[in-house]
Amino acid sequence: MSTLLDGDDWQGRIFTGEWVKGNGGTSATVEPATGVTLAQIGLADATDVSEATARARAAQPEWAAVIGPERAALIRKAAAILADNRSEFETWLIREGGSVPGKAAFEVDLVLGELWEAAALPTQPHGHLLPASESGMESIAKRVPLGVVGVISPWNFPLVLSMRAVVPALALGNAVVLKPDVQTAVSGGALVARLFEEAGLPAGLLHVLPGDAEPGAALVEDPNVAMISFTGSTAVGREIGANAGRTLKRVSLELGGNNALIVLDDADIEVASSAGAWGSFLHQGQVCMTAGRHIVHENVADEYLERLAKRAHALPVGDPNTQQVGLGPLINENQLRRVDRIVNETVDAGAQLRAGGNYEGLFYEPTVLAGVTTDMPAFHEEIFGPVAPVVVVRNADEAVEVANSTEYGLVAAVQTASLERGKELAQRLRTGIVHVNDQTLNNDAYAPFGGTGASGNGARFGSQSSWDEFTQWQWVTYRGTPHPFPF
């Protein structure tokens, strides 16, 4: 059975409309569960970025002139190719990124949603007929592409976090230069390039340039790039925002989160503990939307901790490619050390381990911490690992106060038997997303997605939001004949 990555024309190469050797050399992509080398990827440097952005800028006007239905048809073709080859994409997500099969399938479904929603954009109305200030004049406002969009994507959901910017940007007439994380440069980069290559995207419109900080910084500062869409850590996002600001680029920052799951005293604790386990342990907690703080009413805290710890103990950890497991490996040693440090420092500060706290290789057990207070590392740091810190509060007002006592503002969730009570709390939570009687990990391609504060600069992703994100307004007036002015 043939696959999109049959042959070795892509190995050790970057994509610029064709597969070429990058000036940054090559790097091995390694399976975190086993340490096995899966492939060699090509690396870009600043010179590659400069050449790619110049070519993208030259190719973009012709693409923008293609009629909307034709651009829509190409996006639909890419969706069909992905659907026909989804097992290949899922396998790379499992082996390269440590995803369990269910998470990999979920991610591919998310990407299909992004493609279908983006395919609807080019055939929507893209302007307004404005009132004319004089007779004989026509005045319109229309959406026009930005030009070249730079996309810098992370390793944790590499396919969807690349495609949710790449796809609508292309659909709306832009060219794209994508820099995927080197740790998942196949599932977040090479497969994206091959997908659009097979769909027939004209050369020069999509460039895939894996690399380290050098090509990323070059992309942010390049004068041919009109916008940077970055998903990653808050620290790096702040640097990118500052550097992009110097060149007056548009910048979209989707950053970290320290998200609260509030469990009120009237909640169904069995259901709430299920939401808590899913929210904290899915993909080993390596998700910006992970439930990083469980804020639980004192009347139900003991029962919640007992049920949450029971769920953690029942989750098997191992190689998701060869075993039936609930959790796979963390992405690398640095991430493992970070998670273990936060857990140990929090226990040393007085918290109690109710489950987990151990690891073997890169496999970290799902961990539940009781007795966590607001001055402990597990409360104020983004852990990005399978850890559920539980903070006990006296009432709903304290729960909101504790939930809001963070610089992050991505997502929160509330568990309660009263919908009205949930709605009232949702209005007081300073986050870009709130889910009542659900967990924190939700994503729809047609819903605005994004956070506030240290979590980013607003709801930037989602089908209708894409118009604001990847186009700009142009005001145009027409007169049949010119007319004179007073001087």
Side-chain angles (χ1 to χ4, degrees):
M1 176 178 170
S2 63
T3 65
L4 292 179
L5 294 182
D6 270 350
D8 60 1
D9 63 320
W10 62 277
Q11 292 239 21
R13 290 171 169 81
I14 60 176
F15 183 76
T16 61
E18 58 183 347
W19 297 93
V20 300
K21 290 185 177 180
N23 290 308
T26 63
S27 177
T29 184
V30 176
E31 183 175 35
T34 64
V36 169
T37 295
L38 301 173
Q40 293 291 326
I41 59 168
L43 302 178
D45 68 0
T47 300
D48 294 312
V49 170
S50 180
E51 292 174 354
T53 60
R55 188 176 179 194
R57 183 171 181 177
Q60 184 269 330
E62 185 175 348
W63 174 243
V66 171
I67 60 173
E70 290 185 11
R71 279 187 266 125
L74 188 142
I75 301 297
R76 288 195 297 271
K77 184 176 181 180
I81 295 169
L82 173 57
D84 288 343
N85 293 272
R86 65 175 298 152
S87 62
E88 180 179 6
F89 285 79
E90 291 174 13
T91 298
W92 276 104
L93 290 167
I94 292 166
R95 300 201 64 190
E96 186 181 41
S99 302
V100 298
K103 180 267 185 185
F106 173 65
E107 185 168 355
V108 172
D109 285 338
L110 289 176
V111 175
L112 286 169
E114 296 288 345
L115 285 158
W116 293 329
E117 291 295 327
L121 295 173
T123 54
Q124 293 177 3
H126 57 278
H128 304 302
L129 180 63
L130 303 175
S133 58
E134 301 175 22
S135 68
M137 173 193 286
E138 184 179 355
S139 179
I140 65 171
K142 63 178 181 177
R143 298 274 195 174
V144 296
L146 297 174
V148 179
V149 174
V151 178
I152 302 175
S153 61
W155 51 262
N156 58 328
F157 271 72
L159 185 59
V160 70
L161 297 183
S162 293
M163 294 284 272
R164 72 174 180 182
V166 169
V167 178
L170 288 172
L172 292 171
N174 299 282
V176 175
V177 179
L178 167 64
K179 192 200 85 66
D181 192 286
V182 293
Q183 296 172 104
T184 50
V186 178
S187 49
L191 280 169
V192 174
R194 188 71 99 196
L195 181 65
F196 283 102
E197 189 179 25
E198 291 291 314
L201 184 70
L205 293 172
L206 175 62
H207 304 256
V208 178
L209 310 179
D212 54 17
E214 179 188 341
L219 189 61
V220 171
E221 297 171 5
D222 193 286
N224 287 317
V225 176
M227 174 190 171
I228 294 293
S229 177
F230 170 78
T231 304
S233 72
T234 297
V236 176
R238 287 191 169 110
E239 292 182 17
I240 287 175
N243 293 338
R246 283 195 290 271
T247 55
L248 300 180
K249 285 180 173 62
R250 182 178 295 186
V251 61
S252 171
L253 302 172
E254 205 275 279
L255 308 176
N258 191 2
N259 311 298
L261 172 68
I262 295 174
V263 181
L264 298 181
D265 54 344
D266 60 351
D268 181 325
I269 302 305
E270 178 66 14
V271 172
S273 65
S274 175
W278 182 262
S280 283
F281 304 143
L282 178 69
H283 197 41
Q284 299 79 260
Q286 299 172 126
V287 191
C288 63
M289 298 177 285
T290 290
R293 296 173 299 152
H294 298 235
I295 301 171
V296 185
H297 193 285
E298 61 183 4
N299 290 352
V300 295
D302 289 343
E303 182 183 358
Y304 182 80
L305 275 163
E306 181 182 349
R307 291 176 185 265
L308 185 63
K310 183 178 180 181
R311 293 180 184 278
H313 285 302
L315 285 171
V317 183
D319 183 349
N321 188 49
T322 59
Q323 300 170 281
Q324 291 284 96
V325 296
L327 283 78
L330 295 176
I331 191 66
N332 57 39
E333 288 282 350
N334 287 337
Q335 189 61 25
L336 176 77
R337 286 194 292 270
R338 173 183 171 80
V339 172
D340 197 49
R341 172 189 64 78
I342 292 173
V343 169
N344 288 331
E345 288 180 358
T346 301
V347 171
D348 290 344
Q352 304 91 44
L353 273 173
R354 290 295 184 89
N358 300 308
Y359 65 90
E360 182 176 346
L362 295 179
F363 301 100
Y364 205 94
E365 294 179 355
T367 298
V368 177
L369 293 171
V372 175
T373 58
T374 58
D375 58 348
M376 293 180 181
F379 179 86
H380 59 77
E381 294 190 48
E382 183 185 22
I383 304 172
F384 230 63
V387 180
V390 178
V391 181
V392 178
V393 294
R394 292 165 295 179
N395 52 51
D397 289 337
E398 186 180 1
V400 172
E401 180 183 356
V402 170
N404 285 338
S405 61
T406 176
E407 64 174 345
Y408 295 99
L410 181 55
V411 59
V414 180
Q415 290 281 327
T416 175
S418 168
L419 182 57
E420 289 305 313
R421 197 179 184 195
K423 287 181 177 179
E424 191 271 331
L425 260 65
Q427 293 174 1
R428 297 162 58 192
L429 292 167
R430 294 196 297 268
T431 57
I433 306 165
V434 184
H435 302 297
V436 176
N437 284 330
D438 207 337
Q439 39 79 41
T440 55
L441 298 162
N442 280 294
N443 189 91
D444 288 319
Y446 45 81
F449 183 97
T452 62
S455 292
N457 55 357
R460 315 304 294 261
F461 298 101
S463 59
Q464 291 305 308
S465 302
S466 297
W467 285 103
D468 295 324
E469 197 72 347
F470 301 112
T471 69
Q472 59 189 0
W473 285 107
Q474 183 182 50
W475 179 36
V476 184
T477 64
Y478 301 98
R479 296 178 183 272
T481 58
H483 70 98
F485 291 88
F487 58 85

